[in-house]
Amino acid sequence: MKYALLRLNNRDFWVRLEGDQAFELSSAPWESEARDVRRVAFDSETKFLPPCTPTKIVCVGKNYREHVKELHPGEEAPAEPLLFLKPPSALLPPDGIILMPPESQRVDFEGELGVVIGRKLSRPSLDEARAGIFGYTPANDVTARDLQKKDGQWTRGKGFDTFCPVGPYLSTEDPGKGMITTRVNGQVRQQSPLSLMVHSPAEIVRYVAGIMTLLPGDLILTGTPEGVGPLGDGDVVEVEIEGIGVLRNSVKARG
Ligand code: MG
């Protein structure tokens, strides 16, 4: 099943997608009482929002071996997930514009599989963690690489407004055997089977929720494969998760 969070006439609501039809839901799709309330017709005013409502965005670094090699030659992928946070204020809708801050000379794309939590999780078992995942969505962990390196920790380099594009679709189907592909101006820059992740989504969720309680709507980014590179003014960057959809954003230098 696929879902999306829409904005129309200043009202935000969830829809269930079926073929080319959309049905408004009475609540977020992970709520047990969620039901169809009406059919929705799309028009040019309909905007997709990031399909999540996170109290926190928890990200994993170095979760694909080939990416560890390209950025940290000689280093092994960490035995436990390496976590950092992005602020929810960094969220950007599909079709939103990634703004490159003047403080950075190098803003990179990082195509990633996003995981949205569907139930409250605190110190879960692996099975409980797996059952607590509501769905999957394309995401881009936009990174000011020069600031990330300069600061030695990642809050600034990962935390600028617009640095977390997500969406448009949230799929409840596990894309585990599919591909993740990132394109810049139509050219493939990253492409990897999701199965090459070091720590699986369920393992990551179990690990994270062993530290901080995860709540419905929270977002986890599961790391990027090799091929990361810089974005420039006017670029269009796309992250595609096979079977789910394409997240497309343009890039602008912020004056
Ligand atoms: Mg990343």
Side-chain angles (χ1 to χ4, degrees):
M1 194 72 80
K2 275 190 197 177
Y3 299 93
L5 183 57
L6 301 183
R7 175 167 296 168
L8 184 58
N9 301 326
N10 284 322
R11 196 171 72 87
D12 299 351
F13 54 94
W14 285 92
V15 291
R16 180 176 70 81
L17 300 160
E18 202 178 300
D20 56 358
Q21 296 191 16
F23 299 89
E24 180 176 343
L25 295 175
S26 57
S27 64
W30 49 77
E31 306 283 357
S32 55
E33 71 269 20
R35 57 183 174 77
D36 292 359
V37 289
R38 67 179 177 108
R39 207 177 132 191
V40 178
F42 285 90
D43 62 32
S44 57
E45 300 295 303
T46 311
K47 264 188 61 118
F48 284 85
L49 300 177
C52 53
T53 50
T55 64
K56 50 201 166 296
I57 302 169
V58 189
C59 310
V60 182
K62 307 181 186 175
N63 200 30
Y64 288 80
R65 288 193 176 83
E66 294 302 315
H67 172 63
V68 176
K69 276 189 206 162
E70 74 178 346
L71 280 196
H72 312 273
E75 228 181 84
E76 294 292 313
E80 294 181 307
L82 173 66
L83 303 184
F84 63 96
L85 293 166
K86 267 169 121 77
S89 49
L91 280 173
L92 182 70
D95 296 321
I97 299 171
I98 297 167
L99 294 173
M100 298 192 302
E103 295 83 0
S104 173
Q105 309 311 310
R106 163 99 190 217
V107 173
D108 278 11
F109 56 84
E110 292 191 0
E112 307 201 2
L113 175 69
V115 170
V116 176
I117 300 301
R119 58 175 83 157
K120 186 175 174 181
L121 294 171
S122 176
R123 304 191 78 85
S125 67
L126 188 61
D127 281 345
E128 288 165 343
R130 192 175 291 115
I133 295 175
F134 179 77
Y136 303 87
T137 185
N140 193 340
D141 174 21
V142 180
T143 302
R145 193 71 68 202
D146 50 352
L147 303 183
Q148 180 192 24
K149 287 184 179 156
K150 184 176 173 192
D151 291 356
Q153 50 92 345
W154 304 0
T155 305
R156 181 166 66 139
K158 300 278 193 179
F160 284 96
D161 289 356
T162 75
F163 271 26
C164 194
V166 184
Y169 304 123
L170 177 60
S171 169
T172 54
E173 224 158 287
D174 184 348
K177 291 190 170 59
M179 298 289 286
I180 178 166
T181 304
T182 308
R183 295 180 208 89
V184 178
N185 303 326
Q187 268 202 325
V188 174
R189 304 292 297 277
Q190 296 184 284
Q191 190 158 56
S192 171
L194 292 164
S195 58
L196 292 186
M197 269 183 214
V198 176
H199 304 286
S200 71
E203 288 166 350
I204 293 167
V205 169
R206 186 202 60 78
Y207 185 79
V208 172
I211 301 160
M212 59 191 93
T213 299
L214 288 173
L215 297 172
D218 279 351
L219 176 65
I220 313 268
L221 303 192
T222 55
T224 198
E226 75 274 22
V228 297
L231 293 167
D233 189 29
D235 282 349
V236 174
V237 58
E238 295 174 317
V239 179
E240 176 168 10
I241 305 287
E242 194 179 349
I244 301 182
V246 180
L247 168 67
R248 185 178 295 109
N249 297 93
S250 52
V251 181
K252 231 177 119 162
R254 183 173 211 155

